[in-house]
């Protein structure tokens, strides 16, 4: 879409249209690349069910932990962002995962996100929400898992490597103990020993994969940054 600023909002009349200028102004002032209308500070009990608040906080906590940020509402459907962000951030999700992926990809590519509190009101009488708490919640968590694996491969595969190494050592300990304590260096726990050795090998493979993918990600971010600079500002 050829526009300097993109404004996104759910079409269920739960977000106040009069708040749009407050979302757009930080973009015009070049203080942010995306401004999110955060709902959790100002919402009615009818608009947000307790389970949805809990799910939002869980997702928010995971994202803040992974990306070391301090966002308060990562699933808000009311946000404004620049044309540069729109053309630079690859979003492939559909449904209720779009907002989460848009936030994650923006954080990964180094875009600045600001939040503006907005009122969040109940849906109009007679309308029905398409949100399915557990199904869509599982999809959002799966999206976070996939993006975390893709954008933080060193952390992801490094954690798997450490876990596999610890389990491998634990499995091999009985065999090692038997080798040094039994007469004739007998080893009776060969199955556990084989499992332990396999886990240790898997640990090294996982660590190597994490290092390789991390190096590829660094190079990809450098290329993306150069392409963004070469493209320049969007045509008006």
């Amino acid at each position: 879409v050829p526009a300097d600023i993109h404004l996104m909002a759910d079409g269920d009349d739960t977000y106040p249209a009069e708040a749009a200028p407050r979302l757009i102004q930080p973009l015009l002032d070049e203080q942010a690349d995306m401004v999110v209308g955060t709902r959790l500070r100002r919402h009615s009990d009818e608009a947000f069910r307790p389970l949805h608040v809990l799910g939002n906080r869980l997702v928010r906590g995971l994202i803040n932990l992974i990306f070391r940020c301090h966002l308060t509402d990562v699933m808000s459907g009311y946000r404004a962002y620049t044309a540069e962000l729109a053309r630079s951030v690859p979003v492939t999700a559909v449904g209720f995962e779009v907002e989460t992926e848009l936030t994650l990809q923006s954080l990964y590519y180094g875009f600045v996100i600001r939040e503006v509190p907005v009122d969040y009101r109940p849906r109009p009488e007679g309308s029905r929400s398409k949100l399915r708490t557990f199904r869509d919640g599982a999809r959002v968590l799966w999206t976070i898992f996939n993006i975390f694996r893709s954008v933080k491969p060193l952390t992801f595969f490094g954690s798997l490597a450490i876990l596999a190494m610890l389990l491998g050592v634990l499995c091999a300990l009985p065999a090692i103990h038997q080798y040094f304590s039994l007469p004739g260096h007998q080893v009776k726990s060969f199955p556990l020993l084989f499992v332990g050795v396999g886990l240790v090998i898997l640990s090294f493979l996982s660590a190597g994969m994490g290092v390789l993918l991390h190096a590829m990600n660094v190079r990809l971010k450098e290329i993306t940054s150069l392409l963004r600079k070469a493209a320049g500002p969007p045509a008006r």
Side-chain angles (χ1 to χ4, degrees):
V1 179
D4 295 333
I5 292 176
H6 298 251
L7 181 66
M8 184 175 80
D10 292 344
D12 55 8
D13 196 34
T14 53
Y15 295 104
E18 59 271 17
R22 293 196 289 117
L23 270 66
I24 295 173
Q25 192 59 48
L27 304 180
L28 297 176
D29 296 337
E30 298 184 351
Q31 297 176 349
D33 300 298
M34 180 164 65
V35 181
V36 179
T38 176
R39 307 160 294 171
L40 298 184
R41 299 178 187 174
R42 298 159 60 177
H43 67 272
S44 64
D45 294 336
E46 295 81 7
F48 245 138
R49 286 180 283 180
L51 194 58
H52 291 173
V53 175
L54 178 62
N56 199 309
R57 288 176 177 171
L58 172 62
V59 172
R60 178 190 66 193
L62 286 174
I63 292 176
N64 285 339
L65 177 64
I66 293 171
F67 289 92
R68 299 179 182 179
C69 55
H70 303 282
L71 301 177
T72 62
D73 189 1
V74 298
M75 302 176 70
S76 172
Y78 200 20
R79 56 186 69 204
Y81 46 91
T82 62
E84 181 183 2
L85 186 146
R87 70 169 183 263
S88 301
V89 172
V91 177
T92 58
V94 294
F96 291 97
E97 307 98 283
V98 170
E99 293 86 356
T100 303
E101 183 174 0
L102 186 58
T103 300
L104 292 174
Q105 296 284 16
S106 298
L107 289 170
Y108 172 66
Y109 284 102
F111 288 103
V112 178
I113 301 176
R114 286 191 58 185
E115 294 182 316
V116 173
V118 297
D119 293 323
Y120 187 63
R121 54 199 179 208
R123 298 174 63 89
E125 187 176 353
S127 65
R128 295 179 58 187
S129 174
K130 296 180 181 179
L131 176 64
R132 298 295 178 265
T133 302
F134 295 103
R135 183 197 65 185
D136 293 313
R139 288 179 176 176
V140 168
L141 291 175
W142 182 248
T143 299
I144 294 174
F145 173 81
N146 282 329
I147 293 178
F148 175 46
R149 181 187 58 191
S150 299
V151 304
K152 298 280 189 177
L154 189 59
T155 303
F156 180 82
F157 288 101
S159 300
L160 291 181
I162 293 173
L163 179 61
M165 177 64 73
L166 291 175
L167 291 176
V169 171
L170 287 176
C171 289
L173 278 179
I176 296 173
H177 175 72
Q178 292 168 4
Y179 179 82
F180 287 104
S181 62
L182 294 179
H185 301 299
Q186 299 180 42
V187 176
K188 299 181 179 180
S189 301
F190 274 111
L192 275 178
L193 179 61
F194 291 147
V195 171
V197 171
L199 286 171
V200 170
I201 294 174
L202 182 62
S203 171
F204 282 106
L205 291 175
S206 182
M209 185 177 297
V211 171
L212 177 62
L213 292 176
H214 175 72
M216 293 174 62
N217 267 4
V218 170
R219 178 59 61 186
L220 178 61
K221 289 184 72 173
E222 291 175 352
I223 294 173
T224 302
S225 178
L226 291 174
L227 290 175
R228 282 165 53 185
K229 291 179 180 178
R236 296 179 181 272

